[in-house]
Amino acid sequence: ELERLRDDPKHEAERPRLDALCETLRDLDADLVLPLRAKSQLVGFWTLADARSEESFSSGELRLLRAVADQIATSVENSMTFERLRARDRFVSLGEMAAGLAHEIRNPLAAIRGAVAVLQQPSDEKSAELWTVIIEEIARLNRVVESFLDYARPATRRATIRDVGAFVKSCVDAVSRSKGRTDVVLELAIEPGLRPLHADADQLERVVVNVVQNAYEALDDEGRVRVAVRRVQGAGPYDTWLEIAVDDDGPGMSDTTLERAFIPFYTTKRHGTGLGLALCERLTRAQGGTIQLRSRPGEGTSVLIRLPYPVPPVTEPESA
């Protein structure tokens, strides 16, 4: 079919593109390439070749093959989902054990930290260096313990966040001040007229701060961090969500990292605990929301946080 179009004088302007497509199919040893789409997501390609005939596939054959491709795509997506769930389930018991262990570590850790704080910092260079290492490692261990406890703590206390835009701005400003990086351009876009949000402010603050921090840390050199807050419409007239999107110009993630990003204890950071995004997902889901990662190597990363944002019920006027 492509060769027929290529040889048609009416498609002379398209000839270079059609030549490239024909050459690609030859390299793949394929007469036909069908996309495997599942829930509007491309999960692969299906290449077919029929050595019995030089004729094009008929319309009926194409319809049948497209239906089979849809079934293949669904099977591939289900398999990928199953693998992700199985990987998470393997860490459930470990997470529960870690939470108990964290409680046991916390008290002696506090005693060690207090004792070291009382000790006078050594004057000689070698001992002072070791003293600093002790302080830093105690602080790091304390952060790990706190992360374990936060991950195991499911309580959610909902309240009303009156000014959603100001709330997100305060979270972003806190990260910007703590990072203090003049080489990073921060862009904040807040849709005007947003209604109040019913959510746990403390947990949502932790999610937003953690995601924005990750965006900053993904930038080794200069770049941009963009934060957008907007209302998005779902499938139904009353299906509305508040979306907080955080984008960066960093190096992006590999497919392997993207698949494992929400698995507890998985991290690519040198000093990371592997609980940051896992905790964000847990806190977001506890409030009925979702968190999604989109990334490609060399193209940065986008994080989409969505929280239920129902339309207020219409109050019927009282009859006279």
Side-chain angles (χ1 to χ4, degrees):
E1 184 71 16
L2 290 173
E3 288 172 344
R4 184 186 65 80
L5 290 173
R6 180 195 61 186
D7 297 335
D8 190 336
K10 292 187 298 185
H11 297 89
E12 184 64 32
E14 290 288 306
R15 189 178 180 88
R17 185 176 69 89
L18 294 172
D19 279 336
L21 289 173
C22 289
E23 188 63 32
T24 300
L25 285 174
R26 290 192 194 96
D27 291 341
L28 293 172
D29 191 23
D31 298 324
L32 179 67
V33 177
L34 290 172
L36 303 179
R37 292 193 181 96
K39 296 181 181 178
S40 301
Q41 180 182 3
L42 190 67
V43 296
F45 293 98
W46 185 24
T47 64
L48 301 97
D50 188 354
R52 301 170 303 171
S53 173
E54 295 292 333
E55 297 297 324
S56 300
F57 288 93
S58 67
S59 299
E61 289 172 331
L62 287 176
R63 283 194 297 270
L64 178 61
L65 289 171
R66 287 194 178 101
V68 175
D70 290 340
Q71 294 297 321
I72 294 174
T74 301
S75 298
V76 170
E77 186 185 46
N78 289 342
S79 176
M80 294 167 61
T81 302
F82 176 74
E83 288 299 324
R84 286 195 294 267
L85 292 175
R86 189 172 67 171
R88 291 181 190 180
D89 289 343
R90 284 198 298 264
F91 287 99
V92 169
S93 298
L94 181 58
E96 293 174 352
M97 292 171 56
L101 184 62
H103 280 288
E104 296 299 322
I105 294 175
R106 200 176 192 182
N107 290 336
L109 181 63
I112 295 171
R113 184 173 53 188
V116 172
V118 171
L119 294 176
Q120 186 176 1
Q121 184 173 358
S123 55
D124 63 289
E125 185 177 346
K126 186 63 177 179
S127 298
E129 182 180 347
L130 293 175
W131 189 86
T132 303
V133 170
I134 293 172
I135 294 295
E136 291 177 351
E137 291 303 308
I138 289 176
R140 188 171 71 89
L141 185 56
N142 187 65
R143 289 195 299 270
V144 173
V145 170
E146 290 294 335
S147 296
F148 284 149
L149 293 176
D150 288 337
Y151 188 75
R153 192 179 297 141
T156 298
R157 298 176 299 278
R158 292 179 179 272
T160 300
I161 302 175
R162 299 283 178 191
D163 192 335
V164 177
F167 173 83
V168 175
K169 185 178 185 302
S170 67
C171 298
V172 174
D173 288 344
V175 177
S176 179
R177 286 193 299 270
S178 67
K179 296 300 179 182
R181 293 184 57 177
T182 57
D183 58 337
V184 176
V185 177
L186 175 64
E187 298 176 357
L188 183 61
I190 300 175
E191 180 180 315
L194 291 173
R195 304 188 310 273
L197 174 68
H198 191 58
D200 187 313
D202 292 337
Q203 291 185 354
L204 183 57
E205 179 182 6
R206 298 203 64 177
V207 172
V208 175
V209 167
N210 192 298
V211 170
V212 176
Q213 279 181 343
N214 286 347
Y216 266 85
E217 293 169 1
L219 301 172
D220 294 329
D221 300 313
E222 61 182 17
R224 292 178 182 272
V225 173
R226 293 171 291 276
V227 181
V229 185
R230 51 189 172 244
R231 186 180 70 90
V232 295
Q233 186 67 43
Y238 301 104
D239 181 20
T240 56
W241 300 81
L242 179 76
E243 182 178 87
I244 304 172
V246 181
D247 304 308
D248 65 64
D249 293 338
M253 300 181 185
S254 66
D255 291 341
T256 301
T257 302
L258 195 60
E259 283 186 18
R260 301 178 181 178
F262 292 116
I263 295 177
F265 316 119
Y266 176 80
T267 181
T268 58
K269 296 181 180 179
R270 185 177 178 182
H271 298 294
T273 64
L275 279 172
L277 283 176
L279 178 60
C280 287
E281 184 188 40
R282 185 179 178 91
L283 296 180
T284 304
R285 289 189 182 279
Q287 301 186 65
T290 62
I291 182 169
Q292 182 181 9
L293 277 175
R294 297 174 182 171
S295 185
R296 286 185 179 180
E299 297 183 12
T301 300
S302 177
V303 183
L304 298 178
I305 304 163
R306 285 189 174 183
L307 298 167
Y309 202 45
V311 177
V314 178
T315 304
E316 294 291 337
E318 297 181 0
S319 58

